[in-house]
Amino acid sequence: MRVDNRAPDELRPLIITRHFTKYAAGSVLVQAGNTKVICTASIEESVPPHVKNTGEGWITAEYSLLPSSTSVRVPRESTRGKVGGRTHEIQRLIGRSLRSIIDLAVLKERTIWVDCDVIQADGGTRTAAITGSYVALMDAVQGLKNKDLIKEDPVLNSIAAVSVGIVNGVVLLDLCYAEDAAAQVDMNIVMTGDGKFIELQGTGEEYTFDDEQLAEMLKMAKKGICEITEIQKKVLEL
Amino acid sequence: MRVDNRAPDELRPLIITRHFTKYAAGSVLVQAGNTKVICTASIEESVPPHVKNTGEGWITAEYSLLPSSTSVRVPRESTRGKVGGRTHEIQRLIGRSLRSIIDLAVLKERTIWVDCDVIQADGGTRTAAITGSYVALMDAVQGLKNKDLIKEDPVLNSIAAVSVGIVNGVVLLDLCYAEDAAAQVDMNIVMTGDGKFIELQGTGEEYTFDDEQLAEMLKMAKKGICEITEIQKKVLEL
Amino acid sequence: MRVDNRAPDELRPLIITRHFTKYAAGSVLVQAGNTKVICTASIEESVPPHVKNTGEGWITAEYSLLPSSTSVRVPRESTRGKVGGRTHEIQRLIGRSLRSIIDLAVLKERTIWVDCDVIQADGGTRTAAITGSYVALMDAVQGLKNKDLIKEDPVLNSIAAVSVGIVNGVVLLDLCYAEDAAAQVDMNIVMTGDGKFIELQGTGEEYTFDDEQLAEMLKMAKKGICEITEIQKKVLEL
Amino acid sequence: MRVDNRAPDELRPLIITRHFTKYAAGSVLVQAGNTKVICTASIEESVPPHVKNTGEGWITAEYSLLPSSTSVRVPRESTRGKVGGRTHEIQRLIGRSLRSIIDLAVLKERTIWVDCDVIQADGGTRTAAITGSYVALMDAVQGLKNKDLIKEDPVLNSIAAVSVGIVNGVVLLDLCYAEDAAAQVDMNIVMTGDGKFIELQGTGEEYTFDDEQLAEMLKMAKKGICEITEIQKKVLEL
Amino acid sequence: MRVDNRAPDELRPLIITRHFTKYAAGSVLVQAGNTKVICTASIEESVPPHVKNTGEGWITAEYSLLPSSTSVRVPRESTRGKVGGRTHEIQRLIGRSLRSIIDLAVLKERTIWVDCDVIQADGGTRTAAITGSYVALMDAVQGLKNKDLIKEDPVLNSIAAVSVGIVNGVVLLDLCYAEDAAAQVDMNIVMTGDGKFIELQGTGEEYTFDDEQLAEMLKMAKKGICEITEIQKKVLEL
Amino acid sequence: MRVDNRAPDELRPLIITRHFTKYAAGSVLVQAGNTKVICTASIEESVPPHVKNTGEGWITAEYSLLPSSTSVRVPRESTRGKVGGRTHEIQRLIGRSLRSIIDLAVLKERTIWVDCDVIQADGGTRTAAITGSYVALMDAVQGLKNKDLIKEDPVLNSIAAVSVGIVNGVVLLDLCYAEDAAAQVDMNIVMTGDGKFIELQGTGEEYTFDDEQLAEMLKMAKKGICEITEIQKKVLEL
């Protein structure tokens, strides 16, 4: 039995609230059980140096835990003076994932900043962040279209993410923090709405896994992504 | 006429929501018009070096703007690698103010971390942060009492804050961002619930002011503080 | 009786020495009792990014304590790798104050750097810094006029600063360090030569104060500012 | 045809040189084609704070590109003052992978520092680093055994890593830089010598991939890992 | 003819003022022509980690240019967030030189912090700093003796420093900034009062020099050191 | 008798290997006994700000110890977030020395980055770095000539460096680490191939030295430089 009585292949309740704050071009509160992340998309009319003069746009993601988001307070990275390795890893994953479903040439020389600020953390913050950022990004892109700043639709696909893992030898979907801390294998999967892989990262925690276990995890992840995609569609009224 | 049709001495609608997130000992969402700040209080069972072995506790405040909280995205201070001067100034003000109403000896050798994270900024974020932090602090202190970790009540008084200013020669209460940006004088006032000053910071922006204007601003601030104190009491069911 | 036998409303001996060092456009040693600050004004023929292309100039202040300026050596901020909160707060106050009496449009696109380096600290370093910086600034501005780099006089007013406070329930002017450390209320006041407020910052240190005490402090501050202004005038031969 | 005439499932020539430098407890030069990495293992008789008093040891990895290792010089991270996101990601992967095959309790309270310094980079530096670090680690562990500092063998398994990817729709093993830069999918796989997964990280670069392509990549990776494991065994005379 | 009409082997007027500020254990203003440096010595009753538990003391030097000390303002190193290479080099030289004439075992486990803050820079600031720091150090040591904190005299020798150089092919003593900027060879020499070398650093600036030129420079430096030593003795009333 | 049985005036075996890595314009492995340094020269088609628009080029050197290069692991400067004083001092010495034998005007507006990465440290790393960098620089310059990017030869002279010192009262050439750690005087000398001084830095370590000892050290250094120059010539086939 899972700590919150879910079936092994059951997602936590997923609630996506659009227009959560009012100044960003896209702003979403995503809740996956007790995990809550504010995902926003902001437009900047310039691009970072490595993209300059290519005629293409860019998408950059930043991720942060609010100090009070966890049961033991996390020191603020601004106060420590540097962004930690875990944060780097997560924000690179989010940015890379989102860029893979956007035609950057259509964006033209502008940057979309995606900010994922976790206000309550109960595991799966990075996958929730990707799931929510997609919705915020859609709103920001719609804004560009409404202002006639872009002509075509740069969005090539939808995107969603979920975690799977092995806990006490059992494959589970959408791990909460207590499960994640006890997991033997932890895997994050990012997929398109039509069931293709964008990114998959699986890690044995002092544990190894074989092909069969991998296959079972991938199957369960697909089921989850499928359900998340449906919720995204509904929220976006697509 | 003010941009939002308020009378000169009228506060913006003030809504204080307790238990906004679930892991911090105290957690409040404070909304003053369009300004929204998450204020939390977290307990740490140790104190910073300068207090060690004094038998007393400490209260530290940190303040941050979410990048998407303003209409033009604010770069993240963790990414820039340092906390800016404005942030330093504000978090020192919040910490100093809260410490002035708490008997630190009663807290014993523990730290209360107060985190003020602005998720939407429309002026008056530092005063809203103080107003909300008081409520979060009360909840955290109550938690300590419930667990019998402290015997007496360390709270000596209530505290609230508000801004006043002069815009186009007119004294106004509780400035929103558009008013703040145009203000000739900007003043932040922190007071106890029984009408004593804790802190007052007034600045002429390429402008000077005289005793009479000062008196008018102070009077209006007191009226605002009085109303805010009533709302705090009601929320705290005191 | 005060530690140095002054009357409650008596300033410490104030000595302002112009042309203290020879390379800066303006260079002043200001001594307020045992507090000694080198204030210099240096011209740079460019402006920071946020002013660029506005046709206006800028004034930036930096403040630093020499490590040996206090009885317990202060670690050097360059060695610690960051500027502390207190320094940020003080240098923002100095810069803002000086900008309020200068017509930045007359300066044109150049920056005046004001550096306040405390070589001996006995309380009131920030107010001494403002008082001295005004004189250094006047010399730097005169230099610009002598070289015909500016046509009009950008100086709109004179400026001076002083501290007041409440120690053991008594209102005192121009606190030395021993008084400051024991103060119940500490207030810094910046005024123009003709008696208008530019900035006022009052803080109760685990103490609160009422209107009457505020009025008494403001009155005493005005007296002090008045005397300081006379000394500035004499030194500048105005 | 591949740029270096290899078959799709052919590894680059892999040469592992033990005892490459003389002061580290283990020191290896690993060459995978033109990629050359110095991997060393150094013993420190203490552990980081989060492990202190657990009785267990720790393994930390650091990774760095020499500035001249690539055709366009890479700025030194020490000069930039911070470790970049890519470096963080890689050194976390190396450390996590190595820890998964070591019984940290056997090590007791000591740290093994694994340093991977790339002196020539032609793709696959992170996988070469893992492959080489295993050998350096074995030498360092043998040193501990020789000195009777540990009683049992802490090594639970062997470990090796390799990259696979899809270039122009074709699945390739052990990508060189030119292939990596053009890859549609890039996957790094870390496995034990007996064919279990430790870590797998696959990324579509503006591209997605399906189950069939994943299966083909995994199969080819296993073949590569198998061959690498043989070379490791031979070098270690196991 | 030199810019200030000195003979090639003539020192600039050297004035050493003791007790320049009042809180440091030793405090000296040293003036060598237009170069002015505040040198202080402060006692701290602890030692840095690498000396701990050796029973010996330590001397650390820090050096800084005030931003306004030069004709073009120097950015503050605290604001830039790091200490530059030139500063590192100079403060290491000062510390190493002073430690060479002190018996650190006599000091016992305490640190003497030597701070050299240049308030006006006209060349030769590092040598003036060493010359002045010796006097400040003597006062600080005398203070320790007066308080019976040390029993013996830890001072093994006196120390002074001077620059020599080659400008337009002519060997000159004690270069001012204009000469230094044009020098073909620049050499700083630190010697004991009895004529032994402690440190010598000679640099050809896009120029080389031979044995004969070296001999001439060393001879002239000795003459200068001899005169400086006399002035130090007089000031210290030895 | 020296620890490695050398005569007092005997160099350690010096081996210079060209084309050590393949992507840098010049790449050398220099071995002086057990000291091993990779010296590379990379071309960048731009110059740092202080040279911009002068029509001249620049040479910058960076120096680093690999963490495992010494018997006790050295923390990585990128991880510590700043370059230490010793590193600053060494890389400034290397850069200054190399610039002194190059006609920067012939280079035109390009930078040559010289990177010295010590992979094994047994004393004398900075002098080995200069000796090896000269060879790498020659290869990089030849590359520029081969591509017709420069017309004339910018190399004015050859350059080499060596250490001398006094250990137990005896003057020794080319100190290894054990000797260096015990040295009473440590001196690094940089000379041209035709026997002129470029830089000399001598330091008494809690010890002083006189003219006679200096003369003996300089004589021995010259002998060493002479032999090193011959080896450089041979390696470069000049």
Side-chain angles (χ1 to χ4, degrees), chain E residues 83-86 88-89 92 96 99-100 104 187 192 195-211 214 218 222, chain F residues 83-86 88-89 92 96 99-100 104 187 192 195-211 214 218 222:
Chain E
V83 171
R86 179 183 173 272
H88 268 302
E89 205 169 288
R92 281 162 59 89
R96 201 165 57 224
R99 285 193 298 274
S100 76
L104 297 170
M187 181 171 270
T192 58
K196 298 280 181 59
F197 295 107
I198 289 173
E199 180 107 15
L200 98 192
Q201 299 192 338
T203 304
E205 308 282 355
E206 306 178 24
Y207 189 86
T208 59
F209 53 104
D210 59 24
D211 287 309
L214 175 59
L218 294 179
K222 278 190 182 176
Chain F
V83 171
R86 178 182 173 276
H88 268 303
E89 206 168 287
R92 282 162 59 89
R96 201 165 56 225
R99 286 192 298 274
S100 77
L104 297 170
M187 181 170 273
T192 58
K196 298 281 181 58
F197 295 108
I198 288 174
E199 181 106 16
L200 96 193
Q201 299 193 339
T203 303
E205 308 281 354
E206 305 177 26
Y207 190 84
T208 59
F209 54 104
D210 59 23
D211 288 309
L214 175 60
L218 295 178
K222 277 189 184 178

Side-chain angles (χ1 to χ4, degrees), chain E residues 107-126:
Chain E
L107 278 187
K108 285 182 290 178
E109 292 220 353
R110 56 174 59 89
T111 299
I112 303 183
W113 288 84
V114 171
D115 288 289
C116 302
D117 287 273
V118 179
I119 63 176
Q120 203 169 277
D122 187 29
T125 59
R126 80 186 72 185

Side-chain angles (χ1 to χ4, degrees), chain D residues 80-229:
Chain D
R80 291 178 49 215
K82 57 178 172 184
V83 171
R86 179 182 172 274
T87 298
H88 268 304
E89 206 168 288
I90 293 175
Q91 58 196 19
R92 281 162 60 89
L93 168 64
I94 300 171
R96 199 164 59 224
S97 296
L98 295 175
R99 285 191 299 274
S100 78
I101 57 145
I102 297 292
D103 184 340
L104 296 171
V106 174
L107 277 189
K108 285 183 289 179
E109 292 219 354
R110 57 173 59 89
T111 300
I112 302 183
W113 288 85
V114 171
D115 288 289
C116 302
D117 287 274
V118 179
I119 62 175
Q120 203 168 277
D122 187 29
T125 61
R126 80 187 71 186
T127 50
I130 292 171
T131 294
S133 294
Y134 164 67
V135 178
L137 187 58
M138 290 293 279
D139 279 335
V141 164
Q142 189 59 49
L144 290 173
K145 286 196 278 189
N146 292 348
K147 294 182 195 153
D148 259 334
L149 290 167
I150 54 178
K151 298 286 148 64
E152 298 157 74
D153 190 341
V155 184
L156 307 171
N157 217 322
S158 81
I159 188 172
V162 79
S163 73
V164 283
I166 302 180
V167 182
N168 292 326
V170 181
V171 174
L172 300 180
L173 179 66
D174 192 16
L175 282 63
C176 67
Y177 179 72
E179 292 168 341
D180 189 78
Q184 290 154 329
V185 179
D186 182 20
M187 181 169 272
N188 292 297
I189 286 163
V190 186
M191 297 185 83
T192 58
D194 57 359
K196 298 280 180 59
F197 294 109
I198 289 174
E199 181 107 18
L200 98 191
Q201 299 192 338
T203 303
E205 308 282 354
E206 303 177 27
Y207 190 85
T208 60
F209 54 103
D210 59 23
D211 288 310
E212 202 174 321
Q213 289 169 307
L214 175 59
E216 199 181 343
M217 287 190 284
L218 295 178
K219 192 182 151 199
M220 206 178 267
K222 277 190 184 178
K223 173 182 173 293
I225 294 281
C226 211
E227 294 171 22
I228 294 169
T229 301

Side-chain angles (χ1 to χ4, degrees), chain A residues 75-87:
Chain A
R76 213 172 271 271
E77 292 186 321
S78 57
T79 303
R80 291 179 48 215
K82 56 180 171 183
V83 171
R86 180 183 172 273
T87 299

Side-chain angles (χ1 to χ4, degrees), chain A:
Chain A
M1 198 51 115
R2 301 178 71 169
V3 288
D4 48 7
N5 297 321
R6 281 183 287 152
D9 67 347
E10 189 182 342
L11 286 179
R12 291 180 287 182
L14 177 69
I15 306 170
I16 298 173
T17 309
R18 284 165 72 196
H19 313 305
F20 183 67
T21 56
K22 65 182 283 188
Y23 300 123
S27 173
V28 157
L29 176 70
V30 59
Q31 307 182 54
N34 282 323
T35 287
K36 301 186 186 182
V37 188
I38 303 177
C39 305
T40 61
S42 308
I43 312 289
E44 185 190 338
E45 291 296 324
S46 69
V47 284
H50 74 282
V51 190
K52 212 151 258 177
N53 301 321
T54 62
E56 301 210 343
W58 192 247
I59 299 174
T60 287
E62 292 194 340
Y63 167 96
S64 181
L65 289 170
L66 252 58
S68 60
S69 62
T70 53
S71 46
V72 174
R73 186 183 180 275
V74 193
R76 213 172 271 271
E77 292 186 321
S78 57
T79 303
R80 291 179 48 215
K82 56 180 171 183
V83 171
R86 180 183 172 273
T87 299
H88 268 303
E89 205 168 288
I90 294 175
Q91 57 197 20
R92 282 162 59 89
L93 169 64
I94 300 171
R96 200 165 57 224
S97 295
L98 295 174
R99 284 192 300 274
S100 77
I101 58 144
I102 297 292
D103 183 341
L104 297 171
V106 173
L107 277 188
K108 285 182 288 178
E109 293 220 353
R110 55 173 60 90
T111 300
I112 303 183
W113 288 85
V114 171
D115 288 289
C116 302
D117 287 274
V118 179
I119 64 176
Q120 203 169 276
D122 186 29
T125 59
R126 78 187 72 185
T127 49
I130 292 170
T131 294
S133 294
Y134 164 68
V135 178
L137 187 59
M138 290 293 279
D139 279 336
V141 163
Q142 189 59 50
L144 290 173
K145 285 196 278 190
N146 292 349
K147 294 181 195 155
D148 259 334
L149 289 167
I150 54 178
K151 298 287 146 65
E152 298 156 72
D153 191 341
V155 184
L156 307 171
N157 219 320
S158 81
I159 187 172
V162 79
S163 73
V164 284
I166 302 180
V167 181
N168 292 328
V170 182
V171 174
L172 299 179
L173 180 66
D174 193 14
L175 283 62
C176 68
Y177 178 73
E179 292 167 341
D180 188 77
Q184 291 154 325
V185 179
D186 182 20
M187 182 171 271
N188 292 297
I189 287 162
V190 186
M191 297 184 83
T192 58
D194 57 359
K196 299 278 182 60
F197 295 109
I198 290 175
E199 181 108 16
L200 97 190
Q201 299 192 339
T203 303
E205 309 281 354
E206 306 177 25
Y207 190 85
T208 59
F209 54 104
D210 60 22
D211 287 310
E212 203 175 320
Q213 288 169 310
L214 175 59
E216 199 181 343
M217 287 190 284
L218 294 179
K219 191 182 150 197
M220 206 178 267
K222 277 190 184 178
K223 174 183 174 292
I225 294 281
C226 211
E227 292 172 24
I228 295 169
T229 301
E230 282 313 302
I231 294 169
Q232 288 174 324
K233 271 191 195 156
K234 210 161 155 187
V235 164
L236 283 165
E237 296 162 28
L238 297 178

Side-chain angles (χ1 to χ4, degrees), chain B residues 89-155:
Chain B
E89 205 169 287
I90 293 175
Q91 58 196 20
R92 281 162 60 88
L93 169 65
I94 299 170
R96 202 165 55 224
S97 296
L98 295 175
R99 285 192 299 274
S100 78
I101 58 145
I102 297 292
D103 184 340
L104 297 171
V106 174
L107 278 188
K108 286 183 288 178
E109 293 220 354
R110 55 173 59 90
T111 300
I112 303 183
W113 288 85
V114 172
D115 288 289
C116 301
D117 287 274
V118 179
I119 62 176
Q120 202 169 277
D122 187 29
T125 60
R126 80 187 71 185
T127 50
I130 291 170
T131 294
S133 294
Y134 165 69
V135 179
L137 188 59
M138 290 294 279
D139 280 335
V141 164
Q142 189 58 50
L144 289 173
K145 285 196 280 190
N146 292 350
K147 294 181 196 155
D148 259 333
L149 289 167
I150 55 177
K151 297 287 147 64
E152 298 157 72
D153 190 340
V155 183

